[in-house]
Amino acid sequence: MGATVTSRVLDLLGAFDHDHRSLTLSDLARRAGLPLATAHRLVGELTKGGALTRLPTGEYVIGRRLWDLGLLSPVQSGLRQAASPFLHDLYGATLATVHLAVRDGGEVLYVDRLAGHVSVPVVSKIGSRLPLHATGVGKVLLAYAPEDVRAEAFARLTRITPYTITQPSRLAEQLRRVRTDGFATTGEEMSLGACSVAVPVRGEAEQVVAALGIVVPDLRREQARLISALQVAARGIGRTLASAQWK
């Protein structure tokens, strides 16, 4: 049985990712595994409907209509709404870059971010996806992920900086400590000059539904204070989610 129109459209939309935010028609066809003529027809319909936007350069990007629809997702509307006041309180107390993230398959999906005052090289943006093993929020989410997700992550421990943890045994020990200590840290593992600390956000039945993190230039002096502030905010988000019966 051949691919349906729906599956082809999803393949086209799935051709975009964090590293491929704009694509030519030929790139879209290649990455989606579609004939150029088929891609041309479907991309034309998606552009007409607002799902894609054609830039003056001829490249295509995700359109406003998909962004608007994405805001209706429970991850966006429920979690972000519950977390927003606590993120702002956390930012006000630390003036550091604050992240709220969830796991999307084998990656970290950043659902909210407040940029700090201190100049720190931060590569994440709202809606971006990054490796689980190289980020503080990612390590928290990986520590509580199903075994098959951890196995997949351990099979592709790519080195992003000289400090990225790529030894499975070392990462496994870090994840064990996350579950024991209740927080994860990174030291220049995603980008040079940036360290992070993150804690789990627990929802109904103590299930880890998200991770809350802070990015700073150095953790040596402030780690204990930042962990305490993160844990207070995470508990507040969890209580709000529970009272709203968000799942």
Side-chain angles (χ1 to χ4, degrees):
M1 183 176 178
T4 65
V5 173
T6 301
S7 67
R8 289 170 178 168
V9 167
L10 291 174
D11 286 341
L12 279 170
L13 296 176
F16 295 95
D17 59 25
H18 177 69
D19 296 319
H20 301 86
R21 295 177 178 268
S22 60
L23 294 167
T24 64
L25 178 62
S26 59
D27 285 338
L28 275 167
R30 176 179 55 81
R31 288 175 60 81
L34 296 175
L36 187 60
T38 301
H40 181 269
R41 175 175 58 83
L42 294 176
V43 166
E45 294 178 6
L46 289 168
T47 302
K48 184 178 180 180
L52 296 179
T53 297
R54 190 173 189 268
L55 301 176
T57 59
E59 294 180 313
Y60 293 87
V61 296
I62 294 295
R64 177 61 184 268
R65 188 171 184 184
L66 285 185
W67 172 255
D68 290 341
L69 289 172
L71 292 176
L72 301 177
S73 163
V75 167
Q76 294 283 5
S77 60
L79 180 56
R80 288 185 72 188
Q81 183 177 2
S84 179
F86 299 99
L87 262 65
H88 282 84
D89 286 348
L90 188 59
Y91 170 78
T94 64
L95 298 181
T97 296
V98 180
H99 286 143
L100 179 69
V102 297
R103 183 176 61 82
D104 185 17
E107 296 177 305
V108 177
L109 170 61
Y110 289 82
V111 297
D112 211 345
R113 172 180 181 264
L114 297 178
H117 284 195
V118 180
S119 179
V120 181
V122 180
V123 298
S124 63
K125 299 177 181 179
I126 296 176
S128 66
R129 290 170 169 81
L130 293 177
L132 288 165
H133 70 284
T135 60
V137 287
K139 288 182 182 181
V140 167
L141 296 168
L142 189 58
Y144 294 97
E147 183 58 38
D148 60 327
V149 173
R150 288 201 297 273
E152 181 182 354
F154 275 57
R156 47 188 181 92
L157 298 179
T158 54
R159 186 178 299 280
I160 301 164
T161 77
Y163 303 101
T164 307
I165 305 301
T166 58
Q167 301 92 342
S169 60
R170 187 176 172 190
L171 181 60
E173 173 59 20
Q174 286 191 345
L175 299 184
R176 185 194 67 77
R177 290 175 59 185
V178 170
R179 293 189 292 270
T180 300
D181 300 338
F183 67 90
T185 62
T186 64
E188 300 186 285
E189 295 170 44
M190 190 69 228
S191 57
L192 296 177
C195 301
S196 68
V197 57
V199 302
V201 176
R202 298 180 183 273
E204 190 176 8
E206 289 297 294
Q207 181 183 5
V208 174
V209 296
L212 185 63
I214 288 179
V215 181
V216 292
D218 194 328
L219 283 173
R220 283 174 292 186
R221 290 186 178 181
E222 299 291 330
Q223 180 169 309
R225 183 178 73 89
L226 294 177
I227 291 172
S228 178
L230 282 165
Q231 289 174 336
V232 170
R235 285 195 293 269
I237 296 170
R239 286 194 298 268
T240 303
L241 290 175
S243 64
Q245 295 183 331
W246 181 87
K247 297 182 180 181

